[in-house]
């Protein structure tokens, strides 16, 4: 089993890939973009690919969702929810007082705004292409006045020291990853199904008419989101996650009725739910 | 009229602020974060603030939506939709063959991926905190092997030359901005109302039950999105935009019925719709 992930090593995507590999013993293949991950599975370079799909702070990962809607018939066979943890990393022996600049991906800098304002108000913020690149650059620079925001794994890979733990503003920042493969998963009784649809006419009630089929069959929606179509402003795709497997009889019937009422309906796959409790999500201080 | 916007000068936010100022003659005040914009209006430093709320490629701007949900009672009094245009900028006299590195905000680099792969496959990509900062740094570096991706306005501000026009991958990449003030707008007959709500029980049909009130009153929804609550995973806020003004009688009645069925309902304001046609959105080559 070969699992492709969004490299380089030391990012959250690698953390998710390592967690997934711990479940299924996969060998990891780092690739450099989200479209490359999909191509790798489609062409047999990899058996599966793990991609971020949404973050509780930043929202939907557009690149992933757009591939699912427009470009691939690969199916979701698993999901994985990981808490996002940020660490202030520096060259070994550095103290907080020495830090004049902090490097990271702008999203990570944004997610640690409160910590940076309080503890490093005078430090210059410098952007990097990834948190892992920030840690690598900081270590290679030989500059003890520079720190980086990154993962524990990046600290380990590049020999950085942890100056501060869990510096992210929100204690419940989670990222949800999906695993794509040629086929989705067998029913387990604790499943989720992801799909998208468009409505026939852009009129009041057209969306509710489709969603009513889920309500009538007592099926729980766990997500709904409208996304503008690329071709025409004002028209939307609706992304929906529901509890249950597409082969469960009541789900299969409801999906068939939804497909009749919708203009187009595409099922991204059914897979075991990965639920993470609020206690698990709330990270203790060290 | 003083209008606060997300600086520095030369970003899309400044472009939106200039477009808004052309409507109402406002004086512009640049501030450095989205929370600062809200505080400025709340404390009287500014009369209004203009903030990005969603992008057709990147989706919802979480920082703006989270402030509307949790932190402010300011109202939306206007919206503005702007096409996003990216330009390859360099020091005057530079040719494409000299370029070894391209600087920009990672989001802008991502939105020009196809152009960069095709026309500058060997160039190193370097991250900056904003597109405007990328252009400023490139101009100050004195380095003719470096280009930046930025706005036309940044080219003008910093004296850069345009090497390539409209290098973004999608021809219909739009950003929607909202203007916040103490009060929302008077009805014009062509309005939109933005709101959020939570449902009483996290059970099948609870969402549809609330949305049904809109369908029953023949009110068109132009957006619906579920966002996880920060306090508890699995519970959601629903963000909804509808056509019409909250003071239109049939809207007022439907909102009252929705408020009864919802656990909480907060109206962000009613304001004139800014519709932008697909032709206007599709940017001609030069």
């Amino acid at each position: 089993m070969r699992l492709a992930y969004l490299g380089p090593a030391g990012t959250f995507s690698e953390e998710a890939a390592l967690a997934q590999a711990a479940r299924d013993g996969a060998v990891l293949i780092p690739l450099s973009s989200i479209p490359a991950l999909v191509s790798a599975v489609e062409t047999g370079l990899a058996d599966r690919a793990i991609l971020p799909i949404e973050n509780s702070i930043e929202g939907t990962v557009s690149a992933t969702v757009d591939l699912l809607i427009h470009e691939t018939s690969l199916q979701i066979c698993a999901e994985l929810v990981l808490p996002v943890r940020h660490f202030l990393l520096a060259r070994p022996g550095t103290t907080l007082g020495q830090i004049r600049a902090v490097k990271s991906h702008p999203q990570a800098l944004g997610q640690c705004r409160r910590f940076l304002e309080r503890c490093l108000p005078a430090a210059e913020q410098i952007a990097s292409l990834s948190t892992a690149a920030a840690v690598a650059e900081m270590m290679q620079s030989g500059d003890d006045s520079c720190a980086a925001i990154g993962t524990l794994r990046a600290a380990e890979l590049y020999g950085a020291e942890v100056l501060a733990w869990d510096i992210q503003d929100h204690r419940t920042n989670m990222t949800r990853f999906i695993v794509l493969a040629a086929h989705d998963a067998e029913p387990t009784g604790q499943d989720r199904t992801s799909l998208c649809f468009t409505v026939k006419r852009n009129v009041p009630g057209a969306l509710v008419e489709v969603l009513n089929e889920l309500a009538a069959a007592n099926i729980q929606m766990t997500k709904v989101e409208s996304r503008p179509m690329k071709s025409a402003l004002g028209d939307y795709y609706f992304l929906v996650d529901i509890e249950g497997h597409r082969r469960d009889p009541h789900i299969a019937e409801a999906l068939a009725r939804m497909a009749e009422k919708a203009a187009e309906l595409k099922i991204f796959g059914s897979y075991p739910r990965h639920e993470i409790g609020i206690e698990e999500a709330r990270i203790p201080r060290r």
Side-chain angles (χ1 to χ4, degrees), chain A residues 112-228:
Chain A
C112 302
R113 177 194 299 276
R114 219 172 301 156
F115 170 84
L116 294 172
E117 281 173 359
R118 289 177 186 173
C119 300
L120 288 163
E124 185 192 1
Q125 295 181 18
I126 303 172
S128 302
L129 288 177
S130 70
T131 56
V135 179
E137 286 162 23
M138 180 267 294
M139 291 305 292
Q140 282 152 17
S141 71
D143 178 358
D144 285 339
S145 71
C146 183
I149 295 174
T151 61
L152 270 189
R153 168 87 177 143
E156 186 187 300
L157 281 172
Y158 298 105
E161 191 173 311
V162 180
L163 280 189
W165 296 68
D166 289 308
I167 62 172
Q168 65 277 2
D169 289 346
H170 296 289
R171 312 287 290 153
T172 54
N173 181 4
M174 317 288 296
T175 297
R176 186 171 158 234
F177 291 85
I178 54 167
V179 180
L180 288 181
H183 305 288
D184 60 355
E186 294 295 310
T188 66
Q190 289 288 317
D191 302 305
R192 197 189 312 280
T193 299
S194 295
L195 57 103
C196 83
F197 63 85
T198 53
V199 294
K200 278 177 182 156
R201 301 137 298 135
N202 200 10
V203 296
L207 167 65
V208 172
E209 206 181 306
V210 180
L211 296 183
N212 258 333
E213 296 299 341
L214 294 172
N218 213 29
I219 295 165
Q220 173 75 325
M221 260 193 296
T222 58
K223 174 188 168 152
V224 58
E225 183 177 338
S226 57
R227 281 190 75 75

Side-chain angles (χ1 to χ4, degrees), chain A residues 1-272:
Chain A
M1 175 78 76
R2 296 153 305 160
L3 177 67
Y5 75 96
L6 189 61
T11 60
F12 286 117
S13 286
E14 193 208 18
E15 239 176 76
L18 288 167
Q20 181 63 22
R23 289 172 169 184
D24 62 14
V27 176
L28 302 190
I29 304 175
L31 291 172
S32 66
S33 73
I34 287 178
L37 294 176
V38 170
S39 298
V41 180
E42 286 175 340
T43 60
L45 274 177
D47 302 297
R48 293 175 167 196
I50 188 160
L51 301 84
I53 188 159
E54 59 179 333
N55 174 272
S56 56
I57 309 291
E58 307 291 338
T60 294
V61 179
S62 313
T64 299
V65 164
D66 287 344
L67 283 166
L68 287 173
I69 296 176
H70 301 287
E71 294 190 25
T72 189
S73 55
L74 295 179
Q75 295 273 295
I76 305 176
C77 69
E79 69 170 356
L80 188 70
V81 179
L82 274 193
V84 174
R85 305 179 63 182
H86 291 301
F87 299 85
L88 185 70
L89 308 179
R91 297 169 57 81
T94 308
T95 59
L96 191 71
Q98 290 173 274
I99 307 298
R100 299 280 169 272
V102 179
K103 277 198 156 188
S104 202
H105 189 279
Q107 213 165 62
L109 291 168
Q111 292 183 356
C112 302
R113 177 194 299 276
R114 219 172 301 156
F115 170 84
L116 294 172
E117 281 173 359
R118 289 177 186 173
C119 300
L120 288 163
E124 185 192 1
Q125 295 181 18
I126 303 172
S128 302
L129 288 177
S130 70
T131 56
V135 179
E137 286 162 23
M138 180 267 294
M139 291 305 292
Q140 282 152 17
S141 71
D143 178 358
D144 285 339
S145 71
C146 183
I149 295 174
T151 61
L152 270 189
R153 168 87 177 143
E156 186 187 300
L157 281 172
Y158 298 105
E161 191 173 311
V162 180
L163 280 189
W165 296 68
D166 289 308
I167 62 172
Q168 65 277 2
D169 289 346
H170 296 289
R171 312 287 290 153
T172 54
N173 181 4
M174 317 288 296
T175 297
R176 186 171 158 234
F177 291 85
I178 54 167
V179 180
L180 288 181
H183 305 288
D184 60 355
E186 294 295 310
T188 66
Q190 289 288 317
D191 302 305
R192 197 189 312 280
T193 299
S194 295
L195 57 103
C196 83
F197 63 85
T198 53
V199 294
K200 278 177 182 156
R201 301 137 298 135
N202 200 10
V203 296
L207 167 65
V208 172
E209 206 181 306
V210 180
L211 296 183
N212 258 333
E213 296 299 341
L214 294 172
N218 213 29
I219 295 165
Q220 173 75 325
M221 260 193 296
T222 58
K223 174 188 168 152
V224 58
E225 183 177 338
S226 57
R227 281 190 75 75
M229 284 191 200
K230 282 180 186 168
S231 56
L233 298 167
D235 284 340
Y236 288 89
Y237 286 96
F238 297 97
L239 299 168
V240 170
D241 286 352
I242 57 176
E243 289 186 0
H245 196 285
R246 66 183 170 79
R247 277 150 50 190
D248 296 344
H250 69 296
I251 305 275
E253 279 166 36
L255 290 176
R257 283 194 302 270
M258 284 174 80
E260 271 168 38
K261 298 216 166 146
E264 286 179 276
L265 185 141
K266 182 175 178 184
I267 296 171
F268 298 150
S270 295
Y271 48 89

